[in-house]
Amino acid sequence: MKNGNKGLNIAIVSLAAACVIAIIIFFGINAGNSGYENVAKKYDKAVSEGKYEDAYEYLDVKDSVFLTKSEYLARQSVVADAYNSLDVKGLIKTVGKKGLGILVNSLLNMQYEVVESKEDDGKAVVAFLKKPKQDTYGILTDTATVKLTKSSSNHMLFFSDWRVSNEDVIVKNITLEIPKYKMAYIDGVAIPESYLDSSTDDTNTYVIPGLYTGAHVCSLSNDGETYKNYNVTTDKSNSRVVVKEVEVSKEEQQVVIDKAYNAFRTITEAELKGSDFNEIKGIFLPESVLAEREKFNEDKNNFYTTNKSSGIDNVEVKDVIASIYDMAFVDGTIEVSVKLEYTDSNQGVIDPYIAYFVKKDRGEDANNNMTQLVRMRYVDGDWVVSSSGDSGVAGNNWFF
């Protein structure tokens, strides 16, 4: 019986010892694998050998909707290299060098030697010397530096989870200031409302937790129509990118110019006929109607109407030069100011008192050089007048 107990005790002790050894092995292996030096080595090795899917698993990517695996793989591809190359020679040099590097690292079994390693407050930097065993003279020796960040949660409950956070791959906390549109996108992905940090009448400011370093396309959309794409480059964490310049295609500029000139002619002809403002108010922005009505009625005083004894009854506008004066984002849409330079030659009825002395009842005031700004705003897929300017047609001093 005692021999039976002795055998049981031996079995228990052996099992306990095996468990202890297993635990020691478990902790030893995982502690080593999850250490920041080992993570840095695995990441650099995966990148060097072109194993980008493996490399992605070590990146600190969970903080932004823009840091997707597919986007990372696309940026590492030959297509991305071709996009970033300025010419054929540049493409051959970039892709050729990259391909040679992948081949060397894959075939020659690069050895990693840590030359510098430091960790402070959840941040780590590891510098390696990379050298294949066969490279006796150091011809293929290279260096690599990897920066890492400790995650807030542990790996397998007990082990620190280190993630690569090199700025040459990912930039953090990018403040993006853009014109106030209903929707904004980066590389076709909508910027989440949760990233909105502040807002004014004309600007939305977003803080994006993470973006891949390099070129992006920021698209602005109004009522489902993408009106403008901006090239945005990010290359440093905690930087601010301001999108404030406005570009309108040459074709669309001509559309705006034509509409501005037509609006100018419509207003002038209505004033000349003594029309009621309601006949043309549809060409104006609704919030501009009150001010434009007042100006329209004042300007009509330059023109002859049936209840006046003098005034302009014919206007000839000629030598018109129309150009884009400026562009801006106003109230969440685009406003373009069109500059109209022209001469007007006005004919009309002379006041009877003056006609008595000048011996004629009609007169002409020719070749007045005029300049007017007509501001057009893009609303619901069309351009409308937000301001018709202040010059109009020259008033003739002899029409009293």
Side-chain angles (χ1 to χ4, degrees), residues 141-200:
T141 298
D142 198 3
T143 59
T145 300
V146 180
K147 296 180 180 179
L148 306 98
T149 300
K150 184 189 292 186
S151 297
S152 57
S153 58
N154 288 335
H155 169 66
M156 297 186 72
L157 298 179
F158 303 103
F159 310 103
S160 297
D161 186 16
W162 288 93
R163 294 282 169 174
V164 175
S165 57
N166 278 9
E167 278 193 349
D168 61 350
V169 181
I170 295 172
V171 288
K172 299 286 188 178
N173 298 323
I174 301 300
T175 298
L176 183 63
E177 183 179 314
I178 66 174
K180 193 170 186 177
Y181 268 63
K182 292 186 177 179
M183 291 294 293
Y185 306 81
I186 293 179
D187 300 328
V189 179
I191 301 178
E193 284 298 315
S194 59
Y195 292 176
L196 183 63
D197 183 63
S198 61
S199 183
T200 66

Side-chain angles (χ1 to χ4, degrees), residues 227 248 251-261 324 336-338 374 376 383:
Y227 196 81
V248 178
E251 294 77 12
E252 194 67 18
Q253 286 184 31
Q254 190 58 52
V255 171
V256 181
I257 287 174
D258 291 343
K259 285 185 174 288
Y261 178 69
I324 301 297
V336 177
S337 295
V338 176
V374 180
M376 308 293 293
W383 294 95

Side-chain angles (χ1 to χ4, degrees), residues 248-317:
V248 178
S249 70
K250 292 295 184 182
E251 294 77 12
E252 194 67 18
Q253 286 184 31
Q254 190 58 52
V255 171
V256 181
I257 287 174
D258 291 343
K259 285 185 174 288
Y261 178 69
N262 289 337
F264 162 71
R265 293 294 303 177
T266 298
I267 295 168
T268 302
E269 291 168 5
E271 292 172 339
L272 178 63
K273 293 187 298 183
S275 302
D276 187 272
F277 178 80
N278 288 330
E279 295 181 21
I280 64 166
K281 73 174 185 178
I283 70 173
F284 296 99
L285 198 68
E287 52 263 42
S288 302
V289 165
L290 189 60
E292 291 298 321
R293 183 193 302 274
E294 183 177 344
K295 187 164 72 66
F296 176 86
N297 290 331
E298 289 178 358
D299 288 348
K300 272 201 307 186
N301 291 326
N302 280 327
F303 295 90
Y304 177 81
T305 58
T306 55
N307 63 343
K308 291 172 61 177
S309 59
S310 66
I312 303 169
D313 60 11
N314 183 63
V315 175
E316 181 185 359
V317 176

Side-chain angles (χ1 to χ4, degrees), residues 67 270 283 397 399:
L67 301 177
I283 70 173
N397 293 330
F399 290 151

